[in-house]
Amino acid sequence: DAELMDGGYFRSCAGMLKVAQMISLLIGFISVNNSPWTDYSAYSFFQIVTMCDLVMILFFYVMHIFRVYRKLTCVSWPLAEFLHYLIGTILLLIGSIVAAAKSYNITGLVAGATFGFLATILCVISMWSSYKVSCITQSTSK
């Protein structure tokens, strides 16, 4: 507890997965933002979902690096992270499907939707790993 930061989390599988999610969300956001839009509502929804997911993933990443979860024990952090991934993944999947359907073969919009789907897959992997930590580990430890 003497160290301020958890250096091992940078190199852990969960840490690298969060970084990959943030990078794919950022690339998807930038691709859509720098393209001519054909449908304002579809792409504004996609941008909002990608930025909200990116901010929440960054929040959980910083929380793990600085070990905030050890000090704030009143919150079930594995459950909070699981619920974030559950809701965020569903919204990201919907946004990516709509973005892909409304892209009309515009390269930047197709790239944004593709990176949205990639981020969705990475979020499903994170959701599964956080489910294993929060539900399966607790049920076997009883």
Side-chain angles (χ1 to χ4, degrees):
D1 220 15
E3 291 183 26
L4 177 65
M5 294 176 63
D6 184 6
Y9 191 75
F10 290 116
R11 294 176 298 279
S12 71
C13 187
M16 288 189 279
L17 191 58
K18 280 185 179 30
V19 170
Q21 291 166 357
M22 289 187 285
I23 290 171
S24 62
L25 286 168
L26 187 62
I27 292 172
F29 175 82
I30 291 171
S31 298
V32 167
N33 193 45
N34 292 332
S35 298
W37 292 5
T38 54
D39 189 349
Y40 179 77
S41 62
Y43 290 105
S44 61
F45 176 76
F46 181 81
Q47 285 185 315
I48 290 169
V49 168
T50 54
M51 278 298 104
C52 287
D53 263 1
L54 188 130
V55 167
M56 287 304 296
I57 292 168
L58 180 64
F59 170 76
F60 283 113
Y61 186 72
V62 168
M63 184 199 65
H64 282 288
I65 288 175
F66 290 108
R67 299 177 180 159
V68 176
Y69 60 91
R70 290 185 181 176
K71 296 180 182 30
L72 295 174
T73 57
C74 60
V75 177
S76 173
W77 290 108
L79 181 61
E81 194 168 0
F82 174 74
L83 290 175
H84 157 257
Y85 278 119
L86 179 66
I87 295 167
T89 302
I90 291 170
L91 291 175
L92 189 60
L93 179 63
I94 291 169
S96 298
I97 290 171
V98 171
K102 303 274 185 172
S103 67
Y104 302 111
N105 290 330
I106 298 172
T107 308
L109 301 179
V110 172
T114 303
F115 279 101
F117 284 120
L118 176 65
T120 302
I121 292 168
L122 294 172
C123 285
V124 167
I125 294 169
S126 287
M127 185 172 53
W128 174 249
S129 66
S130 69
Y131 168 76
K132 285 188 343 186
V133 167
S134 65
C135 298
I136 294 175
T137 305
Q138 288 179 3
S139 67
T140 58
S141 65
K142 291 181 180 179

